[in-house]
Amino acid sequence: MSRQNTARVAIVGGGILGCAAAYHLARAGVGDVLVLERDELNAATTSQAAGLIGQLRTSAVKSAIVGQTLADIATLEADGLVSGFKRTGSLRLALTPEREAETRAQVAAARRFGVDATLVGADDARRLAPGLEVPKDHPAAWMPNDGYAEPYTLATAYATAARRGGVTFATGREVLGVRVAAGRARGVTTGGGEVDADAVVIAAGAWSGVIAARAGTAVPAFPVRHQAWVTAPMDWLTPTFPVVRVPDRLAYLRPEVGGLMLGFFETTPLGVDVAARADFAVAATPRDRDVLTAHAPGLMEVIPGLGEAPVVGGTAGVPTYTPDGHFVVGALPGVAGLFVATGCCAHGIAGAGGVGRALAEAVTGEAATLDPGPMAPGRFGAQAWDALWVRVACEETYARYYELVRR
């Protein structure tokens, strides 16, 4: 445990976004960075993520954010680190004419963004993912460079690389608040004393809004439960089975230790107000198997073999969502020297690299590589202070995650 009490940049939160921000700050030459984590690194929502890394997005900035993560993975691996990334490729299925139209538009956009994406027919989809039963009259999108990462492994690689760059990590140091004087962040107060810093970054996941509010500013994001389940191994599942997204069933799946990890987006989401639950821990996120019971039959129409494997485990976390589905990254309004990186909207692992780089550029004042406008923390104006509006809007973003044409 580090007791360093000064830093050029203090980062609140040691999940994957905090680790990626530290990594990119170190790469930008800011070695005097202190990451403060109240628990162990990557022990909260990062550890509960599915880790999908997909580039099929509806905006250039969203696609570039993921592209930066893939570039980071290549760099980390070249430096001898284990990233946990599996380049399986990914399929996005269309089961209706309306979804097919959306898929065609998304593939065309992805190509404009420089992503390797193509449309494939039912025979090719079954060849790429044996066991799928897909309609012959609707093509699927195929992205060969997509895949998934083991979240803890990738986050640890970021942390290790950041340490090599001079970053200090202090676990077991809970940040109680940001110290603000004359309208500027001056550091943070922890359970073990004060830390002076020229800049403070809030990357505390579900707790980002709570910490920002104590500093007199607002973060337009709210945590919403997301669950996934893991099946027992299945003999028919091939080692090269890709990530598969089935928006018309509100579902995605990927390989997991010989079985499959299944995730569903709930139409009646559960927002989790951590500000009202002082003792809340991600490990205690309530789980609801009824969600699996409700959604699994529809998914088994697409993958009949799921019916032969029992569910043997699962995850539940509280990723933060935003009213428009974009990250919240950059300088917080009203407090100079205070920055935030949150609002992952289920893309925290996929977007870690792009978010980390955008955050580092905001802190250092370097020219932005990615368009910061869609991620700007102040983009909602006064509405960001309306806690009820933020919560309802964020829960709606979750519930409509796979709604046609939304992303």
Side-chain angles (χ1 to χ4, degrees), residues 293-349:
T293 301
H295 289 280
L299 188 57
M300 282 192 286
E301 294 174 3
V302 180
I303 308 178
L306 284 174
E308 70 184 50
V311 169
V312 295
T315 66
V318 284
T320 51
Y321 286 76
T322 62
D324 60 2
H326 282 276
F327 284 97
V328 178
V329 184
L332 279 163
V335 182
L338 184 59
F339 302 83
V340 68
T342 192
C344 68
C345 298
H347 306 148
I349 308 303

Side-chain angles (χ1 to χ4, degrees), residues 97-160:
E98 294 79 11
R99 189 69 69 180
E100 176 184 337
E102 178 194 66
T103 300
R104 289 182 179 276
Q106 288 179 324
V107 167
R111 289 171 175 169
R112 291 196 299 273
F113 304 152
V115 174
D116 187 355
T118 189
L119 294 168
V120 298
D123 289 342
D124 281 333
R126 286 193 290 267
R127 175 181 58 80
L128 292 164
L132 285 186
E133 291 293 337
V134 294
K136 293 184 178 181
D137 47 351
H138 300 305
W142 169 245
M143 285 65 63
N145 293 319
D146 285 0
Y148 66 93
E150 202 294 313
Y152 185 87
T153 303
L154 178 56
T156 298
Y158 272 120
T160 300

Side-chain angles (χ1 to χ4, degrees), residues 246-261:
V246 193
D248 294 307
R249 297 294 181 262
L250 308 180
Y252 62 81
L253 52 90
R254 70 157 174 86
E256 177 70 5
V257 195
L260 288 171
M261 175 181 283

Side-chain angles (χ1 to χ4, degrees), residues 32 46-47 82 92 177 188 207 216 235 238 242 258 294 308 315 320 322:
D32 188 12
T46 294
S47 67
V82 177
R92 185 181 179 95
V188 298
W207 288 268
D235 292 340
T238 63
E308 70 184 50
T315 66
T320 51
T322 62

Side-chain angles (χ1 to χ4, degrees), residues 1 7 48 102 106 118 153 178 181 192 202 210 231 239 254 265 270 274 277 292-293 320 327 382 407:
M1 179 191 302
Q48 301 298 306
E102 178 194 66
Q106 288 179 324
T118 189
T153 303
V178 177
I202 302 174
V210 175
T231 74
R254 70 157 174 86
F265 282 85
L270 176 67
V274 298
R277 302 174 62 180
L292 174 65
T293 301
T320 51
F327 284 97
R407 54 177 48 76

